[in-house]
Amino acid sequence: MKIIMDGRAFQDAAIFTSTEEVRYYLAGVAVEPAPEAGYVIAVACDGHRLAAIKAIGSVDPPDARPIINLSALAAVKKCRNPWLRIEDGTVTVLDLAGVEIKSPDDVPAGDNFAVAKFPNSLIDGTFPEWRRVMPATLDDGGGPIAPPAFNAAYLADFAKVSPPAGSRFKPKRFIRIVPTRGDGPAWVFLPERPEFVGVLMPVRADE
């Protein structure tokens, strides 16, 4: 198995991973091919919120859906332009500062840009079919909606997603929340990151 992916997608998805030992398969970032060639989708969910991020990358074989643990996260955060290459369960963190990447083929082979390696970095488990928890439709109007309640701390985590690539300064963080009918989950969008989509589960007032 070989995976190449933008390290920022891994870093941003990691915000939404679970820390529960029982659901160990949610303690990492799942990666799968996107419908568009040359892209992957990084997904993470902790049962309360979910994030799916489309990014440049590739997964070989294309039917693989590996779950990457967070052992490489600290190294990724230190890079100016982090990329991940995963082969045989080992994550190699590359810092490609100054290298323009428009497709997975642009990621240099070899270890000239490697900053760290992390063996045994895949979680042996199956990530749930995350699309099943995505709301069926957007609801931007069409009558009164009984607004559900959302955990403020979970909502604040969406503001931690990194700014657009190439931004010199952190932009103002705007979060768009689109509720579904009734007391279902809400879509969460970041206008400056159109490749990101989130889902936030409602909570009862007494939770």
Side-chain angles (χ1 to χ4, degrees):
M1 182 189 303
K2 182 177 180 179
I3 306 160
I4 293 174
M5 67 176 296
D6 187 335
R8 290 195 326 131
F10 172 78
Q11 178 180 332
D12 290 339
I15 297 170
F16 306 96
T17 56
S18 174
T19 57
E20 293 183 20
E21 293 184 5
V22 174
R23 295 194 287 183
Y24 66 94
Y25 47 86
L26 297 181
V29 176
V31 183
E32 63 182 57
E36 302 90 343
Y39 288 87
V40 298
I41 299 176
V43 186
C45 178
D46 68 354
H48 301 284
R49 60 261 166 96
L50 178 149
I53 308 167
K54 187 174 76 172
I56 293 173
S58 61
V59 178
D60 186 26
D63 59 346
R65 297 180 68 204
I67 307 172
I68 307 169
N69 69 33
L70 304 187
S71 59
L73 184 58
V76 168
K77 289 181 176 180
K78 294 178 181 179
C79 297
R80 290 171 55 198
N81 186 18
W83 285 79
L84 300 183
R85 185 172 61 234
I86 299 99
E87 295 182 87
D88 300 324
T90 295
V91 172
T92 300
V93 179
L94 309 169
D95 191 348
L96 302 184
V99 179
E100 185 177 11
I101 306 295
K102 294 184 177 180
S103 79
D105 295 334
D106 295 334
V107 175
D111 291 340
N112 290 341
F113 294 88
V115 297
K117 287 179 177 284
F118 300 89
N120 304 316
S121 291
L122 299 185
I123 294 175
D124 185 13
T126 301
F127 200 82
E129 181 44 66
W130 56 275
R131 289 177 177 83
R132 291 182 180 177
V133 303
M134 302 288 275
T137 60
L138 290 176
D139 192 347
D140 263 333
I145 297 175
F150 297 102
N151 183 304
Y154 292 155
L155 183 59
D157 280 340
F158 287 97
K160 297 177 183 178
V161 174
S162 59
S167 296
R168 295 182 58 194
F169 304 102
K170 190 172 183 179
K172 293 181 180 179
R173 310 318 304 267
F174 295 101
I175 300 176
R176 181 171 177 242
I177 304 173
V178 182
T180 57
R181 287 287 177 182
D183 59 354
W187 291 93
V188 181
F189 299 102
L190 306 178
E192 77 273 17
R193 291 288 303 275
E195 70 277 18
F196 177 98
V197 62
V199 174
L200 183 60
M201 301 302 294
V203 295
R204 297 191 306 270
D206 57 351
E207 287 185 329

